[in-house]
Amino acid sequence: MEPSPLKNTALNDMKIIKDPRQMQEYALARRVEGKTIALVPTMGYLHQGHVSLMEHARPAADLVIVSIFVNPLQFGPREDLDVYPRDFEGDCRTCEQAGVDVIFAPQMSDIYPPEFQTEVSVSEVTRGLCGAHRPGHFNGVTTVVAKLFNLALPHKAFFGEKDYQQLVTIKRMVEDLNFPIEIIGVPIVREDDGLAMSSRNAYLSPAEREAALSLSHGLFRARELFEQGEKRSPILQQAVREAIREHAGQSCQLEYLAICDPDSLEEIEQVEKQAVIALAARVGKTRLIDNTLLSRESS
Ligand code: AMP
């Protein structure tokens, strides 16, 4: 279900804009006044991970715009588009509490009218990891983010490291297409027990949630090993696999596990300075992703 077709309204001081043209006119007018704009793109069902992006954005610009749009283009035909959790009213409250100035919540048909036929595609960095398992996903992401950039006209845009490949892909797109926008990555926000926050955690039963914890535990175990001096990717990967097996048995099925250069996302055999360990797994029907950065400097 799409957000209810409220007219563009104001909730206290926060504006809700639904119409893409109005969003662009509003952003342009603020720019003409000399205001700086920060954009936080989301698919809604907001949690503390999203709030952290807003908190990073708030002091970084005069205006903070949060977009809420469940982008059909980035879902595969057998994925969870139809059941993706939505709570527009709750999201409005969350944004208002976080001091957001504008929610941009367009209708699907306004973003993708019937004649729509353009796609933005980033090649190398989208080949592996999630890109290898979700054909078309990143084209959907870059296409909608390019549109959001052209509508909200931000000076800065904030993305979570939780979706690490997405962050790298957006940075690549911005550089390649000369968007005059600074892309800022924000660290992963986790539950107290380590589970990375995600709107999709809402799908998990209590037993599945317990099994899902094995993912972060596995990543933390590998990071500990790395901090103790282990450099070899196969050994670090083995530590992740073992932790997942010990904690979750067969309830957690890895889709991929890779140790990559944090910029190129090419897999590396040996971690000299920095790397990202990234994984995706299925817990029941739910697909979860997580990652952690390994850095020799900070350890
Ligand atoms: P989504 O609504 O899942 O598309 O996410 C919108 C933005 O929030 C993306 O930039 C995500 O990387 C970011 N995000 C989602 N979960 C987290 C988290 N646990 N910590 C930090 N950022 C997150």
Side-chain angles (χ1 to χ4, degrees):
M1 201 177 53
E2 289 197 40
S4 62
L6 290 172
K7 282 269 167 269
N8 302 319
T9 46
L11 194 76
N12 292 344
D13 278 350
M14 189 175 72
K15 260 178 109 58
I16 298 173
I17 299 181
K18 304 249 170 191
D19 176 17
R21 219 169 353 140
Q22 196 169 339
M23 179 70 260
Q24 198 178 46
E25 280 165 11
Y26 178 87
L28 201 52
R30 299 293 81 73
R31 273 186 167 251
V32 168
E33 289 168 1
K35 297 269 196 290
T36 54
I37 300 175
L39 175 67
V40 178
T42 81
M43 296 206 298
Y45 209 68
L46 303 174
H47 51 67
Q48 276 308 116
H50 299 112
V51 170
S52 174
L53 300 186
M54 298 172 206
E55 287 171 351
H56 281 78
R58 185 60 284 172
D62 296 319
L63 280 166
V64 176
I65 301 175
V66 170
S67 62
I68 298 179
F69 180 64
V70 181
N71 174 34
L73 226 57
Q74 69 189 71
F75 287 77
R78 281 178 298 281
E79 294 185 354
D80 56 342
L81 173 62
D82 293 339
V83 295
Y84 195 83
R86 288 161 164 89
D87 177 13
F88 188 63
E89 309 249 308
D91 289 349
C92 289
R93 283 194 295 275
T94 302
C95 288
E96 204 180 19
Q97 277 161 16
V100 167
D101 298 289
V102 179
I103 292 181
F104 176 45
Q107 300 286 316
M108 207 235 287
S109 53
D110 288 332
I111 291 295
Y112 301 120
E115 64 277 17
F116 186 84
Q117 50 189 290
T118 300
E119 198 169 67
V120 179
S121 178
V122 176
S123 54
E124 295 308 316
V125 296
T126 67
R127 283 204 209 291
L129 309 176
C130 287
H133 295 270
R134 301 184 73 187
H137 168 69
F138 283 111
N139 285 3
V141 169
T142 41
T143 300
V144 81
V145 170
K147 282 177 72 80
L148 292 171
F149 285 173
N150 283 329
L151 294 170
L153 302 173
H155 298 79
K156 299 177 182 181
F158 293 76
F159 292 85
E161 289 175 356
K162 161 81 176 7
D163 299 83
Y164 192 84
Q165 189 174 19
Q166 170 173 285
L167 173 62
V168 171
T169 301
I170 299 294
K171 283 184 176 165
R172 188 74 262 145
M173 175 185 83
V174 160
E175 208 155 308
D176 290 352
L177 297 184
N178 309 95
F179 280 100
I181 301 173
E182 183 186 352
I183 302 301
I184 295 148
V186 175
I188 299 176
V189 177
R190 298 180 179 279
E191 304 281 1
D192 289 343
D193 57 10
L195 182 69
M197 289 195 184
S198 164
S199 306
R200 289 188 168 99
N201 291 350
Y203 299 145
L204 300 171
S205 70
E208 288 171 342
R209 194 195 175 288
E210 182 59 30
L213 262 185
S214 66
L215 302 175
S216 53
H217 288 186
L219 292 171
F220 297 159
R221 191 180 287 181
R223 199 174 58 197
E224 264 169 41
L225 263 186
F226 172 75
E227 284 166 2
Q228 289 159 14
E230 182 57 65
K231 293 179 175 179
R232 294 165 293 176
S233 293
I235 307 287
L236 295 168
Q237 288 191 13
Q238 194 51 31
V240 180
R241 286 181 200 283
E242 274 168 18
I244 292 174
R245 212 169 24 239
E246 278 167 27
H247 189 103
Q250 296 303 306
S251 312
C252 191
Q253 296 292 329
L254 272 178
E255 184 180 84
Y256 69 77
L257 169 65
I259 301 189
C260 301
D261 177 274
D263 300 316
S264 70
L265 299 186
E266 277 170 23
E267 289 207 41
I268 49 182
E269 277 300 300
Q270 184 115 325
V271 187
E272 295 304 339
K273 280 202 176 124
Q274 292 190 317
V276 58
I277 316 185
L279 59 76
R282 293 211 177 255
V283 183
K285 287 198 169 110
T286 306
R287 182 179 184 279
L288 298 173
I289 57 172
D290 200 353
N291 70 80
T292 195
L293 289 162
L294 305 177
S295 172
R296 207 48 89 191
E297 278 87 20
S298 67
S299 59

